Amino acid sequence: MGNALSVSVVALDPVLEAGAASTLGNSPEVALVLPNEPARVAVVIVDQVDRPALDLVTTTRERERRPEVVLVATELVAAEARQAITAGVAGLLRRREVTADRLVRTVLSAAGGDCTMSADLLDELLEHREGAARPYAGGPGLSDRERTVLRLVAEGRETEEIARELCYSVRTVTTVLRDITQRFRLRNRAHAVAFALRGGLL
């Protein structure tokens, strides 16, 4: 239990909070803490991604240890997902997509610095960029290879999985991600995905 990841659950609805806590509490990889206690990851559960929900994300991110946030919402459309990512969310799930395994994997990915969402939500984000920030104008964008790797990162794939799918070495995938983060002065892979989505680079 000493190596378990500290996770809190924050919800405006106490029934949803209890359900998520029960789901996470069954995982040996997770150590549940109270919402007001320091945590590496906070699971924030909302009905819709509106201003109160985004304020809740911001407040949660400002807590001690600045936890990564996994947002679970009843529905998520592209514009809302983009707002959530801008607010600092590192994982996005619709409530109908949540299983115990998927929630735990998303939480662990967020703790590891990955930005995770379902493939269809990522596709929706990429197809509806009218309201997005203008493409990055500070230099060259992303190569096809970099875009492909970042798409897979956003789907929650581990480095080894990405390497297998693209027939690259693990070192190549690691190098691609390091080059992106260094070129754009980004903190980690989650920041890289969020930056690319907001800037219209993906």
Side-chain angles (χ1 to χ4, degrees):
M1 196 72 171
N3 293 326
L5 180 72
S6 58
V7 179
S8 64
V9 178
V10 180
L12 299 176
D13 183 334
V15 174
L16 294 178
E17 184 174 321
S22 174
T23 298
L24 288 166
N26 290 325
S27 170
E29 297 172 285
V30 168
L32 275 177
V33 298
L34 295 174
N36 59 346
E37 294 180 329
R40 285 274 313 283
V41 178
V43 176
V44 175
I45 307 171
V46 297
D47 200 28
Q48 56 188 11
V49 182
D50 52 11
R51 176 46 51 195
L54 294 172
D55 288 344
L56 182 58
V57 167
T58 301
T59 301
T60 302
R61 289 274 295 145
E62 289 172 350
R63 290 181 177 170
E64 188 179 349
R65 290 186 69 179
R66 293 191 56 81
E68 298 295 343
V69 172
V70 170
L71 183 69
V72 179
T74 303
E75 284 300 328
L76 271 170
V77 297
E80 294 168 341
R82 192 177 303 281
Q83 286 179 314
I85 290 169
T86 301
V89 167
L92 289 163
L93 286 171
R94 299 181 184 96
R95 275 172 56 188
R96 68 175 182 271
E97 299 168 337
V98 174
T99 63
D101 179 62
R102 186 160 190 181
L103 183 56
V104 170
R105 281 191 290 114
T106 303
V107 163
L108 295 175
S109 292
D114 287 338
C115 185
T116 308
M117 68 193 77
S118 62
D120 72 294
L121 183 57
L122 177 60
D123 287 341
E124 192 180 335
L125 269 169
L126 298 176
E127 287 168 13
H128 299 89
R129 291 193 302 222
E130 295 83 14
R134 286 189 292 277
Y136 179 69
L142 298 173
S143 68
D144 289 342
R145 179 165 75 169
E146 289 171 335
R147 270 192 294 275
T148 300
V149 169
L150 273 186
R151 275 177 181 262
L152 293 173
V153 169
E155 289 175 22
R157 309 289 187 87
E158 299 291 340
T159 303
E160 293 78 6
E161 292 178 286
I162 296 171
R164 278 197 305 273
E165 178 155 340
L166 300 180
C167 298
Y168 294 160
S169 68
V170 170
R171 183 175 180 178
T172 296
V173 174
T174 303
T175 300
V176 167
L177 290 168
R178 188 188 66 235
D179 288 349
I180 294 169
T181 54
Q182 288 180 350
R183 187 162 78 247
F184 295 108
R185 296 179 182 164
L186 306 170
R187 294 185 301 275
N188 51 38
R189 302 200 303 179
H191 193 195
V193 171
F195 172 83
L197 287 170
R198 288 199 300 270
L201 295 173
L202 270 181

